[in-house]
Amino acid sequence: MSSIVIVGKKVYKIVDNTIDRKVVSRRSRRRVRTDTITQEGLRMKSRLFSAFAAAIVTALALPQAGAQTPVTGVTSDTIVIGQLGPLTGPNFTFGALVMDGSDMVFNQVNERGGIHGRRIRTVREDDQCSPQQALSAVKKLVADHRVFAINGGGCSNAALAQRPYIEETGVPFMVFSATNDRITVPVVRPIFRVVMRASEEGAIQARFVDSM
């Protein structure tokens, strides 16, 4: 997967989360300083990982031995995370494949002992990128599976339909793919994103085209 990022007057291409050491703007083909690339790359990665960590920060803060107040989705040995997005239909790549990737990360955490000894267990629900299906899918994760947090938001139309319920219940919701600005603007406490807003993507693309 590749994308474009603007740093000052320079335009960089990012491939698999690594910034290409060559500026891709036609106006300048010279190699850029490694320290500049490293700084911008670390800053971008830091934003992504910090946002994701915010969704499970409460679990990390729990005492290692028996919290006095029960937390939904968290037991003495397990943290339940909901995975929400399209698992079927033409848009399944925005859900199923992303969930496969996040499950790999969760498995790595479990292999290292989990979080304060608690293993992460995930459960998936299919919203089919449909506003109608989206609400029932998120309600099933919250009410039936009683998850601690949700990793979802494959499509904007579905995520927009889910936003009022998420805001009402207060379940941490990490948006991994949907870009519509109104999913997180205005800001509501339980909703985070690890993907740029559509307005940000559009501005970067426009600036890139203008620089060519």
Side-chain angles (χ1 to χ4, degrees):
M1 180 180 293
S2 65
S3 58
I4 299 298
V5 64
I6 308 298
V7 180
K9 294 183 179 180
K10 299 181 177 66
V11 184
Y12 302 104
K13 184 176 182 181
I14 300 177
V15 181
D16 294 332
N17 293 326
T18 301
I19 297 182
D20 195 330
R21 294 190 62 184
K22 284 190 175 181
V23 180
V24 298
S25 169
R26 291 180 181 176
R27 293 182 180 179
S28 176
R29 289 291 182 181
R30 64 182 179 83
R31 301 183 77 82
V32 299
R33 293 175 55 189
T34 302
D35 58 349
T36 301
I37 295 176
T38 302
Q39 181 181 8
E40 295 303 326
L42 289 175
R43 186 176 301 156
M44 292 176 62
K45 289 185 178 181
S46 177
R47 288 180 60 189
L48 294 179
F49 287 113
S50 295
F52 185 79
I56 59 172
V57 69
T58 302
L60 288 169
L62 288 175
Q64 293 190 25
Q68 296 298 317
T69 303
V71 177
T72 300
V74 179
T75 68
S76 61
D77 59 5
T78 305
I79 299 173
V80 183
I81 303 293
Q83 300 261 55
L84 180 62
L87 300 177
T88 57
N91 297 308
F92 81 98
T93 55
F94 295 110
L97 300 188
V98 179
M99 295 177 198
D100 289 345
S102 59
D103 274 341
M104 290 179 62
V105 175
F106 294 141
N107 288 336
Q108 290 177 346
V109 172
N110 289 336
E111 289 171 0
R112 296 171 183 172
I115 300 174
H116 292 327
R118 297 176 174 90
R119 295 179 61 82
I120 298 174
R121 179 172 65 84
T122 61
V123 57
R124 299 185 180 189
E125 284 296 332
D126 184 7
D127 68 15
Q128 300 177 3
C129 274
S130 163
Q132 294 73 28
Q133 178 68 17
L135 189 55
S136 61
V138 71
K139 285 184 175 180
K140 189 171 182 180
L141 284 177
V142 174
D144 295 346
H145 297 296
R146 297 182 60 78
V147 299
F148 166 71
I150 296 173
N151 184 40
C155 300
S156 290
N157 57 352
L160 286 170
Q162 293 157 351
R163 175 182 160 126
Y165 181 75
I166 291 296
E167 185 175 2
E168 175 187 343
T169 59
V171 175
F173 185 86
M174 179 60 63
V175 181
F176 58 56
S177 181
T179 60
N180 190 291
D181 286 38
R182 291 185 293 118
I183 298 170
T184 52
V185 179
V187 174
V188 290
R189 190 176 183 86
I191 303 179
F192 310 85
R193 65 162 69 242
V194 295
V195 62
M196 288 188 294
R197 300 193 304 269
S199 59
E200 295 172 324
E201 284 190 341
I204 290 175
Q205 292 167 1
R207 289 169 62 185
F208 172 66
V209 172
D210 183 60
S211 70
M212 298 180 68

